């Protein structure tokens, strides 16, 4: 009963100490061998003195270790503990298709924007590829890049063919002009010969 009374007597001291040390009453330790002296302290100043002397102590916080949690998370990142028996939600709930779609679109559109700014593609090709991305034609960035290189190669080939055709046309035109000029010269020469023949006769 005396220990019960002592506990009751130290209730005030515990409350004051908790207020001073800014913690809960369960964190306060009162020295059991100095109960008589502690029970005499009935002001904050006295409690502060007892704290300074080491008769009142604030208990350290209990450590809740995260070692096991961190270890398990590291294993999960490797793909352990992720089998069918560990899954609760549906596939769409765990990783929604909409989120996958948005991420893919953002990646592809960012690439197109970058290529347009670097002038690797013109605005017409950009628009065409933008609509193809929206139409789910490219499953990832690699396929889009490959498609761009193929398109650029095709465009270059078309340009080369066009330029070759133009060159051929120009050459043919020049040849035709030369032929006509030669014919004209020959005709002029024949006419002159006739005139000279008439004069001599």
């Amino acid at each position: 009963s005396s220990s019960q009374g002592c506990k009751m007597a130290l209730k005030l001291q515990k409350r004051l100490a908790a207020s001073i040390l800014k913690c809960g009453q369960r964190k306060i330790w009162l020295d059991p061998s100095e109960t008589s002296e502690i029970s005499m302290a009935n002001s904050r100043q006295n409690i502060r003195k007892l704290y300074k002397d080491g008769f009142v102590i604030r208990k350290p916080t209990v450590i809740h270790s995260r070692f096991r949690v961190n270890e398990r998370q590291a294993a999960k990142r490797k793909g352990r503990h992720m089998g069918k028996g560990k899954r609760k939600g549906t596939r769409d709930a765990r990783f929604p298709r909409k989120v996958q779609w948005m991420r893919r679109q953002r990646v592809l559109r960012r690439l197109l924007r970058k290529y347009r700014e670097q002038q690797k593609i013109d605005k017409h090709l950009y628009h065409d590829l933008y609509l193809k991305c929206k139409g789910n034609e490219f499953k990832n960035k690699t396929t889009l890049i490959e498609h761009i290189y193929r398109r650029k190669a095709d465009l270059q080939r078309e340009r080369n063919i066009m330029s070759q055709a133009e060159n051929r046309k120009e050459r043919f035109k020049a040849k035709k002009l030369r032929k006509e000029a030669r014919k004209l010269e020959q005709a002029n020469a024949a006419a002159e010969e006739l005139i000279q023949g008439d004069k001599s006769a």
Side-chain angles (χ1 to χ4, degrees):
S1 64
S2 62
S3 65
Q4 191 79 22
C6 195
K7 271 186 185 174
M8 289 299 288
L10 297 180
K11 202 172 179 185
L12 169 71
Q13 284 76 9
K14 203 164 226 186
R15 181 173 64 75
L16 289 173
S19 177
I20 290 161
L21 300 176
K22 293 185 173 60
C23 63
Q25 289 185 31
R26 63 200 281 274
K27 289 285 178 198
I28 300 298
W29 178 83
L30 304 173
D31 194 342
S33 59
E34 301 291 338
T35 46
S36 56
E37 196 175 330
I38 292 167
S39 63
M40 296 290 285
N42 60 356
S43 70
R44 285 167 182 271
Q45 196 175 346
N46 293 345
I47 295 290
R48 279 197 195 93
K49 191 175 181 305
L50 289 170
Y51 175 66
K52 203 174 179 184
D53 294 343
F55 299 148
V56 174
I57 293 172
R58 179 182 174 169
K59 289 182 196 171
T61 52
V62 178
I63 293 166
H64 185 173
S65 174
R66 282 195 60 81
F67 174 77
R68 288 185 299 280
V69 178
N70 293 340
E71 209 172 38
R72 192 171 181 84
Q73 281 176 348
K76 273 190 163 187
R77 276 193 290 276
K78 288 181 181 174
R80 317 285 186 269
H81 319 290
M82 297 289 278
K84 290 195 173 175
K86 291 285 178 187
R87 299 177 200 169
K88 289 279 183 177
T90 61
R91 185 195 298 174
D92 209 43
R94 287 162 65 83
F95 192 7
R97 277 170 298 176
K98 187 172 181 179
V99 171
Q100 290 177 23
W101 168 260
M102 286 188 327
R103 284 184 188 173
R104 186 159 74 240
Q105 287 303 306
R106 282 171 186 169
V107 166
L108 297 176
R109 287 172 184 181
R110 202 179 300 126
L111 180 79
L112 286 176
R113 226 175 11 253
K114 190 174 89 174
Y115 272 24
R116 186 180 60 181
E117 281 162 11
Q118 291 173 352
Q119 294 181 340
K120 287 185 177 179
I121 56 174
D122 61 357
K123 64 180 182 179
H124 305 293
L125 184 56
Y126 168 85
H127 185 66
D128 187 36
L129 293 173
Y130 187 97
L131 293 176
K132 282 185 189 298
C133 289
K134 191 179 179 182
N136 199 21
E137 198 161 313
F138 311 111
K139 65 176 183 179
N140 54 34
K141 204 158 86 168
T142 312
T143 52
L144 175 57
I145 291 168
E146 284 170 2
H147 183 85
I148 288 169
Y149 280 121
R150 271 202 304 275
R151 280 287 294 272
K152 283 178 79 177
D154 291 345
L155 285 168
Q156 190 60 45
R157 201 178 303 115
E158 280 174 23
R159 282 198 202 103
N160 290 343
I161 289 165
M162 291 279 281
S163 66
Q164 283 169 8
E166 283 292 323
N167 291 340
R168 256 202 308 275
K169 207 183 278 182
E170 289 293 323
R171 281 205 304 274
F172 182 72
K173 201 184 278 182
K175 194 177 176 183
K176 197 176 178 184
L177 285 170
R178 280 200 304 275
K179 203 173 184 182
E180 283 173 3
R182 208 181 301 121
K183 270 185 183 177
L184 196 66
E185 277 175 20
Q186 284 172 356
N188 288 340
E192 278 178 22
E193 278 177 17
L194 277 170
I195 292 163
Q196 282 175 2
D198 288 343
K199 276 181 183 177
S200 62

